[in-house]
Amino acid sequence: MSDGVPWSPPAKTTCSAPVDGRVNDSNSGAAWKARGRLGDTGGMSVQSPSFPVQNAFALLCAQYAQRLPALLEDLTGPARGTVDLPLHVVWSGRRSYGLEQPRSRMSLYRTVLAEGQRQDLIDFLNRDLLIAQWPVLRTLISRPIRDVWESAFPELAAATAATAA
C-alpha cells in the first residue's frame, strides 16, 4: 500500500443502512472522495489497487437501500404470465421470464433485485411471490441485497424462519 498500512477486510458486518439509504458520513462516497480515495465517477465507487475501498459493503448496502419500496405491499408486479424486462435492467442475455416456471421466476427476481431501480422493483416483483420464494431466493442473491431487504422488511426474515422450523 502506498500509505504503508496494509489493507485488511472489515470484520463481518451486516447492513445497517436505513431505509432512506443514507449511511454514516465516515462511510459515504463524499467522505471517501474527500480523502482522495474516489475519483470523479459520478458517485460510483471504484476500487483502485493503491486505495481499496475499505467499506465497499456499506456503500453497496446504501445503494440497494435507496432502491427499496416504502412497503412490500407496493410490489404489485404480475403473479402469472411472462415478464419482459427492459434493457436498462438486463442489457444482455435473457430478457423474457415465465412466472409459472420456478427457476425462471427465481432468475427474474434475482435479476430485478440486483439490477432494478425502485420503479422496476414495484413493477416487476409481486409481494406474495417474493415472500413465498424468499427462503431460497435469499441464498442466490448477494449479502448486501439480502441484508438490506431483511432489515427493511422483517416479514422476509420471518418467512425464512418459518420455513426452517
Side-chain angles (χ1 to χ4, degrees), residues 94-111:
R94 181 179 184 186
R95 293 185 53 215
S96 186
Y97 301 85
L99 295 175
E100 281 78 24
Q101 296 128 352
R103 290 180 79 179
S104 178
R105 184 175 60 241
M106 198 72 69
S107 182
L108 166 75
Y109 275 60
R110 183 178 178 196
T111 300

Side-chain angles (χ1 to χ4, degrees), residues 13-138:
T13 60
T14 59
C15 283
S16 59
V19 174
D20 66 5
R22 288 178 284 155
V23 293
N24 178 321
D25 284 341
S26 66
N27 295 330
S28 71
W32 281 98
K33 191 172 185 178
R35 291 185 209 124
R37 300 201 178 191
L38 289 179
D40 186 14
T41 61
M44 293 180 58
S45 62
V46 177
Q47 184 172 350
S48 120
S50 59
F51 296 107
V53 177
Q54 292 184 14
N55 207 349
F57 183 79
L59 292 173
L60 283 172
C61 288
Q63 290 173 354
Y64 287 119
Q66 290 175 347
R67 302 175 187 179
L68 289 175
L71 305 167
L72 277 185
E73 288 73 21
D74 293 342
L75 302 178
T76 57
R80 294 191 182 102
T82 301
V83 173
D84 295 317
L85 292 177
L87 286 172
H88 72 271
V89 177
V90 59
W91 49 91
S92 67
R94 181 179 184 186
R95 293 185 53 215
S96 186
Y97 301 85
L99 295 175
E100 281 78 24
Q101 296 128 352
R103 290 180 79 179
S104 178
R105 184 175 60 241
M106 198 72 69
S107 182
L108 166 75
Y109 275 60
R110 183 178 178 196
T111 300
V112 174
L113 287 169
E115 305 297 336
Q117 296 301 312
R118 178 178 289 129
Q119 194 60 48
D120 299 317
L121 298 169
I122 291 167
D123 292 343
F124 299 117
L125 301 182
N126 177 283
R127 176 199 176 274
D128 295 335
L129 290 179
L130 179 66
I131 291 172
Q133 64 187 18
W134 187 258
V136 173
L137 181 61
R138 71 183 304 276

